[in-house]
Amino acid sequence: MVTRGAEELRSLGEAIFVAAGASPENAGVVMHSLIGANLAGHDSHGVIRIPSYIEEIKKGRLQPAAMPVVVQETPSTATIDGAQTFGQVGAKLTAATAARKASEVGLGAATARGCFHTGRIGEWTELGASQGFITFAAAANADGALRTVAPFGGKQINLGTNPCSWAIPRPGGKPPILLDYATSAAARGKLLVARAAGRPVPDGWIVDRDGRPTTDAEDFFTGGMLLSFGGHKVYALSAVVEMLAVGLSGGQRIPAGGGASTIFLICIDPQAFQLEADFYESIESVAARLAATPPADGVEAVLLPGDPETRNRTERLAAGIPLAESTWGEITTIARDLGVAHPAVG
Ligand code: NAD
């Protein structure tokens, strides 16, 4: 493993994307997201993605300088065309638009189609929560070729990893309560991270091409599949996530091979329902009750959803971001190939 500072990785990544044709603005947004994912501890959605994004740009499928646009709106809703650029750029506009509408009318919803990979979904619900809104997000891929998960009870790939997220704002500048996960046993990116580090994945995440349980991430990339988690309950959630994100954005109309990611977000202003102080009193009382639960044997403490991300952020801002040597090697090779001048590549 190597450890690199967040700022060094951010400036190197921005320089790589600009050299590959991204606008400085888009490069800034995508690197903010990738570094934010690494800092939150979700390396699956961090700088490990740089090589695949560059590959998509080279193939002409990702338009690195395009800008997403609002194509339809009402006072409380908006539909956005992600313009086949970095999904983080489209998702950021979607979240900002939903939050703006919530600030105007109490409830704001927005959806985007035609995005590339939308990254760590919790980033977009955190954006709404940072403005005081309860925020929900559902994200899914409209391109069947990108599905990787077997539905509950099925023996064939027929679902995406369909992540969803809720962020509940807290008072006094505290990070929000954050639910943010794939509705599969793990995000596909976690298999990329395990493969890069040569580490096994936990039991129950994947099966190989013959449907046999395995802990070797390579088996997934050679024809295997991810399993759903939570039995029929999370399978049902996954189906609803896809219907919301693809159905409301119109993502099914994007031709296969283009930016197939879609996202749906809704921001709710608690003050449209309750006095702000009463709302926060209720949230803090639930949070305090849960955190005070005596931990089970072998568990250090009962955490709140979002605590792991906050802890990782504090630690990694101080100590740096750990990366597999192979990941760092790929990033620096891309930088050299693109003629990027940066201290990290000499
Ligand atoms: P995960 O299994 O690591 O779960 C993360 C969630 O669980 C967070 O809300 C975290 O705060 C909470 N959590 C973890 N430990 C906890 C504990 N002890 N107590 C309370 N809460 C706890 O997540 P994942 O499914 O591997 O997803 C990782 C990332 O991948 C997410 O950011 C997700 O948005 C992203 N993702 C994105 C896409 C996409 O297409 N853009 C697809 C899939 C996943």
Side-chain angles (χ1 to χ4, degrees):
M1 297 293 273
V2 297
T3 302
R4 295 282 151 178
E7 278 316 309
E8 179 189 26
L9 285 171
R10 185 196 313 272
S11 58
L12 176 60
E14 281 187 19
I16 287 174
F17 284 127
V18 168
S23 60
E25 188 183 347
N26 284 359
V29 170
V30 74
M31 282 315 300
H32 179 84
S33 291
L34 297 183
I35 299 298
N38 282 122
L39 289 175
H42 292 297
D43 294 328
S44 52
H45 289 68
V47 296
I48 195 171
R49 299 286 179 157
I50 291 175
S52 65
Y53 292 0
I54 294 293
E55 220 26 60
E56 295 292 345
I57 292 170
K58 282 189 189 154
K59 286 182 190 154
R61 291 161 28 129
L62 195 169
Q63 307 302 323
M67 290 299 285
V69 284
V70 175
V71 290
Q72 184 179 332
E73 67 182 320
T74 71
S76 58
T77 66
T79 305
I80 288 163
D81 179 347
Q84 321 280 318
T85 192
F86 300 103
Q88 290 90 343
V89 175
K92 185 178 178 188
L93 176 65
T94 312
T97 304
R100 177 170 54 74
K101 288 177 180 286
S103 69
E104 289 163 4
V105 294
L107 205 61
T111 184
R113 61 175 176 254
C115 298
F116 260 85
H117 184 231
T118 43
R120 183 178 73 92
I121 301 306
E123 179 177 359
W124 316 120
T125 55
E126 283 169 356
L127 189 152
S130 71
Q131 297 179 41
F133 305 126
I134 297 169
T135 305
F136 168 75
N141 215 306
D143 183 348
L146 299 173
R147 292 182 193 134
T148 47
V149 182
F152 174 69
K155 64 173 185 180
Q156 262 178 16
I157 286 175
N158 214 355
L159 265 182
T161 54
N162 298 359
C164 65
S165 176
W166 278 102
I168 312 280
R170 299 181 72 186
K174 288 184 206 166
I177 300 295
L178 179 70
L179 174 165
D180 173 30
Y181 46 68
T183 50
S184 47
R188 176 182 173 279
K190 287 204 168 149
L191 306 176
L192 289 173
V193 173
R195 182 173 66 170
R199 276 197 313 258
V201 299
D203 282 329
W205 277 19
I206 53 172
V207 291
D208 68 14
R209 65 201 310 170
D210 300 316
R212 286 182 303 233
T214 174
T215 56
D216 183 351
E218 192 58 37
D219 288 334
F220 168 80
F221 294 100
T222 51
M225 58 188 177
L226 267 161
L227 298 172
S228 52
F229 86 98
H232 61 285
K233 299 187 181 187
V234 181
Y235 157 57
L237 174 64
S238 181
V240 171
V241 163
E242 178 171 339
M243 289 171 190
L244 278 175
V246 178
L248 288 173
S249 66
Q252 74 278 8
R253 293 198 297 273
I254 300 293
S261 287
T262 63
I263 188 163
F264 168 73
L265 272 119
I266 186 157
C267 291
I268 303 165
D269 184 355
Q271 293 184 69
F273 299 85
Q274 288 289 328
L275 289 175
E276 186 183 40
D278 289 350
F279 170 72
Y280 281 139
E281 185 191 334
S282 162
I283 299 303
E284 289 309 294
S285 122
V286 177
R289 192 184 80 228
L290 295 177
T293 312
D297 288 350
V299 176
E300 184 200 328
V302 171
L303 303 180
L304 296 173
D307 281 352
E309 283 81 355
T310 303
R311 288 181 174 191
N312 283 323
R313 217 171 269 130
T314 307
E315 279 172 27
R316 289 179 168 201
L317 274 171
I321 293 170
L323 297 175
E325 277 171 38
S326 57
T327 302
W328 178 242
E330 278 184 66
I331 294 171
T332 48
T333 301
I334 289 170
R336 287 193 195 94
D337 290 350
L338 287 167
V340 167
H342 188 279
V345 289

